[in-house]
Structure formats: structure tokens, C-alpha cells
Amino acid sequence: MSDAATPAVTCAGAPADWQNPLRDKRDKRMPRIAGPCGVVIFGVTGDLATKKLMPAIYDLANRGLLPPTFALIGFARRDWKDQDFGDIVLTAVKAHARTPFRQEVWDRLAEGIRFVEGAFDDDAAFGRLADTLKKLDAERGTGGNHAFYLSIPPKAFPQVLEQLSTSGLATKPDGCWSRVVIEKPFGHNLKSAEELNTLVNSVFPESSVFRIDHYLGKETVQNILALRFANQLFDPIWNAHYVDHVQITMAEDIGLGGRGGYYDGVGAARDVIQNHLLQLLALTAMEEPVNFSPDELQAEKIKVLSATRLVAPLDDNTSRGQYTAGWQGNEQAVGLLEEEGFSQTSTTETYAAITLDVDTRRWAGVPFYLRTGKRLGRRVTEIALVFKRAPHLPFDDTMTDELGKNALVIRVQPDEGITLRFGSKVPGHAMEVRDVNMDFSYGSAFAEDSPEAYERLILDVLLGEPSLFPVNQEVELAWKILDPALENWASHGKPEPYESGGWGPESAFEMLRRSGREWRRP
Ligand code: BG6
């Protein structure tokens, strides 16, 4: 606990919150700069901290978006001094930052770097953490404002939350803030997510809880809102009258070697469908919010997730697979069961596909197909609205042999942009119609680089802007949608094998074929 000699907390410069009407009147094109604050990272030795969090903090500093008094505090069971931790951060920054290295930016950031050695069950270590933060408040001017980033295994959440509560770090005097940032997985089913939410909310009010879904920080994901609600062109056709079905694909070419500790027993559906893909569905299918305040945006997402359910029978309308050895381009890949860190009898799925109905007037009868997988042919994330065929084609069949269905594709990554696919006459004397693509690409349309998702999200935490963070109800609804598929798969034993470098198990193809549809080949 803090000792009597530690200077008193001085609350200063906490940014106004979203309820402040003046804030909404400001010009949102102006750069948003965080007020005085510090970030404490639990789990600094992990991959996420090294590859994403520490580099994102440097990138924010480099872009002038952090206060000069900013502090970064690492907490871990390592025998490190502040300087040792500083060296670790520097190495991570040099290896993974998005923006160029600038010595003067680094020097200023390094002055605010501290390290606290301790285990999560060590009360004294949390006392030392409280002391360190108080000293930083007084000496560096962090203003009594602290974000606690839990980049740790979920089983450690309860212990750390309790320590933050008993050490007094979770509650702050008026004018100061204390926020908690939680990485996924947020529970492993509805019941555990509800329990975790109850626990989190017993320590931090919901307005101070920032659950990370890094897909919501991606530029192209935010562009779904611009595309849908800033244009007149798309809304009239964004419904069951025109859309045949929607495909949301998140394909990765990487395997899981070394990630067994996290992934084995979790699987593709819990890893990304429960969060990233259902969030993409919510943004694609929701109604227009009254405005873009966090409450209004969340209200629409909650409404559409409440109307979303798996299509029965589950055996026909879901699919799961596990990759086996194969060729990924010209590299030979081993199967999951040979990967380091996985049990030889693992039944963890590395591919999952589900069919959903959204029971609203806009989407009645339009299936939403979601799929994700590791070791697939190519890395691509996209949302494709596939349209119905024209009701009448005044051409001979031979003229339209090569005409598919029109499609509007939001290319989330890589090659971020939007593609419109439609039929066009092939040049020549004959009337022959074939599919062509019209492309918008971020890279050629804009000179600006997009910030990394974690840059945007960390800055939003420091500004207290919650729009891009799923609230408790969203997380629970997503589990409620997915749970029946997880339970059904659990009763079936092993997932279906699929070859590395391919596009998933046969049952996934069959899932669409049954209704005369097929997956897009990205
Ligand atoms: C994470 C998943 O949330 O997203 C990983 O846990 C996945 O399994 C990653 O590889 C993909 O993120 P991105 O931004 O590279 O698409």
C-alpha cells in the first residue's frame, strides 16, 4: 500500500467525457490529443504487447497525440529495473512501430517509463504499483489518470481485477479517471461471459470498461458506416429485396505453431467469429443510428444482434475443420496436430463457418454466411453483399453464360477498398456479357496512411471515447448466437480435416451448395 511519504494525487486535465455537449460541438477533424495520463500494461512480456501495444504507444507519441507527461508502466514477474523495461520497449518499437524512429520522441517517452516487479497474487506489488503511479502523478504530471491494460490470460482476470480494487487503483477522486482495457477472449460461452461481466462491473463501472475488438479500430471497418450512411446510392438496395445473401470471410494463411497455449481448446469460432465477424455483421446489418454517439451506435448494434440467430439444422448449416499438412504457396506446411504446443488428440477447429438469419424486415430470408480459417489459400478479410439476379434477362442464354451475380465487396484487408462487380458487354460484334470489377482502393485514392487499429483504440481509451468498444450486452449477445453451434460441435468429436493452402472442409462448400450458392473465391 502507499506510504505516508507518497505525495497526494493531483487530479488534472482529465478529458471531458462524451456526455459533455461542448465536446460534440468541436470540429472532429481536429487531432484529438490525450490529456495527462499513464498506461499500465499487465502482460508486457507477451506477443501482443511487443508487436502491437508498445509500438502503437510510440506511434501515438510520434504523431504528437500523447501528452508530453505521458507515462508507460510495465508490471510483470521479472527482475527488471526501469531501464531494462525501457530497453525492451525500445526493441519492440524499433522492430514493429509503423512510423519512423525519432530519437527525440523516444527520449521524451523513455523518461516516463517505469517497471514494477510482481506477481498477480502479490498484494505488496500492487502497493508498489500504487506508489509508482502516485509519484508519477506528482513528479511527471500524469494527473491521477490511469488506464490498466489487461493483456493477460483470461484466467488471471479475476485476480488482477480484485487487486486493482483492493489497492484502491480502480476508484479515483472526482476529476481523475481509472479505466480498464480487456483483451479477448471475453469468456468462452454465454455463462462465463456473464460471470466475467458481473465481476468486471463490480470493480469498474461499465463506462470505464474498454473491451478490445481490434477489428473495430480498422479503417475499412469504420468505412462501413461511411459507405452506408453518408451515401444515397447504397441504402435503397441494402435489403432483402435486392440482396440474395451476404458472405463475411476472414481467411488467414498463417498456421498456429507456438500459439497452442492460447488457441488449443478455443478454436476459430471463439477466437474470431464471436467477436470480429459478428461485429462486422452488426455494422453491415444494423439500421442507421440516430447519430454517432456511442449510446446510439451501440443501441443499433444490440438491436440487430438480438435479431440474429443460427439457421437450423446445425449439422447442415455450420461447418468446422482442422488443417492437415499441405502446400502453402511453395512452402510445405505441417498439420495442426504436428504444430508445436498442440496436443496430438486436439479437437480444436481451425476453420469454422456458420449460417445466420437476421430476423428483421430489412433482412428477412437473406442468409448471412460467416467463415474463418487458418492456413487457407490467402490472407483476406471481406464482406460481400451478393445480389439477386435481374428478374428477367432479355438475352439468349449463351450471351450471359459468364454473368454471375452482382456483388458489392468491402475489402477489409489487405488491399483495402471496395469492389463493385457487375456484368458488362465484352467488346466485339456479338452481344456477350461478362462480369467486371470496378474498384476503389484506399492506397490510390488517399495520400494519408491509416493508423494501426491499436493506435486508434489506445487513444480512444485515453480520451474516454467508447464508440469502438463492445459493451457487455453486445458481448453476451454474440455468445448467445454462437453457443448452440459450439455445443453441437462439442458433441461431435473431431473436426473435418482440410488441406493447408486450400479453402476449408468439404462440408463448408456443401453448406452453400445446398441452396444453389457458392463461396466467393477471393
Ligand atoms: C486475433 C486472433 O484477434 O486476430 C488471431 O486472435 C488472428 O488468431 C488475428 O490471427 C488477426 O488479426 P488481423 O488484424 O491480422 O486480421
Side-chain angles (χ1 to χ4, degrees):
M1 284 296 119
S2 51
D3 62 49
T6 310
V9 176
T10 326
C11 292
D17 70 26
W18 270 87
Q19 309 312 323
N20 181 346
L22 288 178
R23 182 173 189 97
D24 281 340
K25 292 215 173 68
R26 103 209 124 121
D27 184 341
K28 295 210 171 70
R29 292 166 302 180
M30 297 300 283
R32 306 168 307 158
I33 300 172
C37 63
V39 172
V40 179
I41 302 183
F42 295 97
V44 275
T45 53
D47 227 35
L48 183 75
T50 309
K51 292 195 177 138
K52 300 286 182 189
L53 307 184
M54 302 192 279
I57 286 173
Y58 167 82
D59 287 325
L60 287 172
N62 204 6
R63 291 165 60 211
L65 299 175
L66 295 183
T69 58
F70 179 81
L72 170 64
I73 303 95
F75 182 105
R77 227 170 26 183
R78 290 285 194 284
D79 177 19
W80 288 344
K81 300 276 173 284
D82 293 343
Q83 181 63 46
D84 301 319
F85 178 52
D87 292 344
I88 301 279
V89 181
L90 180 61
T91 310
V93 165
K94 286 195 165 160
H96 302 289
R98 180 180 66 87
T99 59
F101 185 76
R102 289 198 292 150
Q103 191 64 45
E104 65 276 20
V105 172
W106 169 252
D107 289 345
R108 189 166 339 119
L109 194 60
E111 282 168 21
I113 290 184
R114 301 287 183 278
F115 184 74
V116 177
E117 178 189 349
F120 298 151
D121 62 356
D122 179 353
D123 299 353
F126 279 81
R128 288 197 298 279
L129 175 62
D131 284 347
T132 305
L133 296 183
K134 277 190 181 171
K135 281 191 187 121
L136 282 165
D137 288 342
E139 293 165 14
R140 190 164 164 82
T142 35
N145 303 313
H146 305 122
F148 298 97
Y149 202 118
L150 309 194
S151 175
I152 53 178
K155 63 176 186 316
F157 288 167
Q159 202 160 36
V160 174
L161 287 165
E162 201 178 318
Q163 292 282 18
L164 291 175
S165 167
T166 50
S167 57
L169 289 169
T171 37
K172 289 291 170 69
D174 278 353
C176 295
W177 53 257
S178 183
R179 297 179 183 138
V180 67
V181 188
I182 304 184
E183 274 292 338
K184 71 181 185 56
F186 202 86
H188 57 270
N189 57 15
L190 175 60
K191 187 164 173 292
S192 55
E194 284 171 343
E195 285 165 6
L196 185 54
N197 275 330
T198 306
L199 175 70
V200 174
N201 291 144
S202 71
V203 178
F204 287 91
E206 184 62 18
S207 58
S208 301
V209 181
F210 292 75
R211 296 174 189 78
I212 295 270
D213 183 320
H214 79 280
Y215 265 57
L216 294 180
K218 289 184 190 268
E219 196 72 54
T220 34
V221 172
Q222 291 183 30
N223 195 35
I224 300 171
L225 300 179
L227 178 80
R228 293 194 55 198
F229 303 124
N231 296 300
Q232 176 71 341
L233 193 56
F234 304 109
D235 189 59
I237 53 169
W238 206 274
N239 55 52
H241 296 300
Y242 295 93
V243 177
D244 176 73
H245 68 277
V246 178
Q247 298 186 13
I248 303 183
T249 298
M250 176 184 169
E252 294 183 281
D253 50 8
I254 50 169
L256 286 155
R259 279 190 81 200
Y262 157 69
Y263 201 92
D264 205 9
V266 171
R270 288 186 173 94
D271 184 39
V272 301
I273 293 187
Q274 188 273 342
N275 37 77
H276 308 329
L277 297 199
L278 283 172
Q279 283 290 330
L280 294 184
L281 176 142
L283 294 172
T284 306
M286 72 181 199
E287 295 303 314
E288 181 179 279
V290 173
N291 56 46
F292 283 115
S293 72
D295 288 352
E296 298 296 348
L297 193 59
Q298 273 145 11
E300 291 306 333
K301 286 203 281 170
I302 287 169
K303 219 163 81 187
V304 79
L305 288 171
S306 313
T308 303
R309 58 177 174 81
L310 287 163
V311 173
L314 294 178
D315 284 344
D316 291 348
N317 291 293
T318 68
S319 158
R320 66 174 187 148
Q322 190 180 72
Y323 65 80
T324 57
W327 286 89
Q328 196 105 43
N330 46 15
E331 266 180 43
Q332 200 158 15
V334 299
L336 182 82
L337 301 183
E338 287 83 57
E339 294 274 28
E340 179 208 331
F342 283 85
S343 114
Q344 288 294 302
T345 53
S346 174
T347 57
T348 301
E349 85 277 358
T350 57
Y351 178 101
I354 59 176
T355 312
L356 297 165
D357 270 344
V358 178
D359 292 332
T360 62
R361 173 177 284 243
R362 186 185 286 271
W363 295 115
V366 178
F368 280 68
Y369 299 111
L370 274 49
R371 65 173 162 167
T372 184
K374 304 280 184 192
R375 284 259 183 256
L376 297 184
R378 175 163 118 70
R379 173 175 182 253
V380 61
T381 300
E382 63 167 43
I383 302 164
L385 274 73
V386 180
F387 291 89
K388 294 181 176 171
R389 284 185 184 282
H392 171 68
L393 287 173
F395 303 94
D396 293 344
D397 287 352
T398 52
M399 297 172 179
T400 54
D401 268 357
E402 304 217 23
L403 176 66
K405 289 177 177 160
N406 297 163
L408 179 70
V409 184
I410 299 168
R411 305 193 312 269
V412 175
Q413 64 186 27
D415 184 23
E416 292 82 357
I418 292 168
T419 296
L420 190 60
R421 188 182 70 184
F422 55 94
S424 172
K425 182 181 173 306
V426 179
H429 294 294
M431 173 54 86
E432 188 191 344
V433 183
R434 193 186 293 165
D435 286 335
V436 293
N437 285 336
M438 195 157 84
D439 283 331
F440 150 71
S441 156
Y442 268 87
S444 45
F446 297 108
E448 298 88 346
D449 274 352
S450 301
E452 266 279 313
Y454 275 98
E455 281 173 68
R456 189 187 310 259
L457 295 176
I458 292 173
L459 182 61
D460 279 357
V461 171
L462 304 183
L463 291 166
E465 295 190 358
S467 310
L468 300 180
F469 300 85
V471 290
N472 44 13
Q473 226 184 322
E474 283 170 79
V475 172
E476 290 174 15
L477 282 167
W479 282 117
K480 196 169 163 199
I481 294 167
L482 198 59
D483 269 1
L486 297 171
E487 284 159 19
N488 185 49
W489 291 337
S491 65
H492 282 17
K494 279 188 92 58
E496 194 181 328
Y498 67 95
E499 206 176 316
S500 288
W503 281 100
E506 183 47 35
S507 60
F509 291 94
E510 191 51 32
M511 187 175 114
L512 267 70
R513 222 179 275 135
R514 258 186 221 104
S515 60
R517 300 182 173 104
E518 58 180 16
W519 289 110
R520 283 171 43 80
R521 263 161 295 159

